[in-house]
Amino acid sequence: MREVQIFLLLTSVLVHGRDPRWQNSYDEPLHFACPVRQSISYISSQHDNHREDRLWDFGCKDTFSSEPTCFWSEYANDFDQEFTFQCPKNYVLTGMNSYHDNHHEDRRWRFHCCLVHNQCNAVCQWTTYINYFDEPFSWSVPTMNYLVGTGSYHSNSKEDRRWRYMYCTRQSC
């Protein structure tokens, strides 16, 4: 059975060009958006020191009872820059997009935010940085909370980023 799983994984990598456990390949663009009416609930990433890039994966959860109003942000950063991004008031994060540059060994980031009227964000807070440079991480949005922002800074000596996230509860308004 293990040989079959390995064969299927290798076949998928050869046919699709990326490991199906991840939303991107090293040095390639990332474009992820949750299905309509869902928002990001889980983020996982691993760094490769040879490629000086990260693989990314996301989970989503039901969030909106009706069709949300959504938009993609402008780029939140230039290469090697620190950034803090928050969706506008009462929006939640539903997608992430980035591209990698080998000269800078960094990514520029954009974010997808969605709003449903009559729902407001409340009791918002930032995590501490959830990873150290070069290490993998997995982080889940706390139960009954929704992701609304992210912040990151880059190290040129490590060629990696540390990440933190902002999340809120939601209530009727």
Side-chain angles (χ1 to χ4, degrees):
M1 184 64 163
R2 176 107 171 107
E3 292 82 15
V4 171
Q5 290 173 327
I6 292 171
F7 174 77
L8 291 174
L9 176 62
L10 291 174
T11 302
S12 180
V13 169
L14 291 173
V15 171
H16 301 291
R18 68 172 173 83
D19 185 329
R21 296 172 294 182
W22 302 102
Q23 296 295 322
N24 67 304
S25 296
Y26 291 114
D27 298 331
E28 295 298 322
L30 164 69
H31 184 79
F32 176 81
C34 289
V36 175
R37 298 186 183 187
Q38 294 187 352
S39 66
I40 294 173
S41 63
Y42 172 82
I43 301 172
S44 180
S45 181
Q46 78 178 28
H47 185 264
D48 181 275
N49 281 324
H50 175 71
R51 294 177 183 97
E52 297 296 6
D53 193 18
R54 284 186 168 273
L55 297 176
W56 292 88
D57 192 30
F58 303 91
C60 301
K61 66 179 178 180
D62 292 336
T63 304
F64 307 105
S65 59
S66 61
E67 186 89 15
T69 301
C70 303
F71 72 93
W72 281 100
S73 73
E74 298 295 320
Y75 284 103
N77 68 305
D78 284 324
F79 297 114
D80 300 333
Q81 277 191 335
E82 181 174 352
F83 70 87
T84 299
F85 175 84
Q86 290 178 272
C87 288
K89 183 178 179 179
N90 300 323
Y91 281 73
V92 298
L93 252 169
T94 61
M96 296 186 184
N97 174 285
S98 68
Y99 69 93
H100 184 265
D101 179 81
N102 282 325
H103 173 74
H104 291 95
E105 296 296 6
D106 193 19
R107 287 179 172 269
R108 291 189 71 200
W109 289 89
R110 297 174 27 175
F111 301 96
H112 195 245
C113 299
C114 293
L115 166 77
V116 168
H117 303 285
N118 302 325
Q119 286 289 305
C120 293
N121 294 341
V123 193
C124 299
Q125 56 189 315
W126 282 98
T127 65
T128 58
Y129 284 97
I130 61 164
N131 69 302
Y132 291 100
F133 296 115
D134 299 335
E135 76 172 10
F137 70 85
S138 293
W139 179 77
S140 294
V141 177
T143 304
M144 304 302 294
N145 285 267
Y146 299 88
L147 183 64
V148 300
T150 183
S152 179
Y153 71 94
H154 183 264
S155 165
N156 282 325
S157 62
K158 294 289 189 178
E159 296 297 6
D160 193 20
R161 287 186 169 272
R162 291 188 70 195
W163 290 88
R164 64 189 180 120
Y165 297 101
M166 184 181 202
Y167 58 93
C168 305
T169 60
R170 295 194 39 92
Q171 62 188 25
S172 295
C173 53

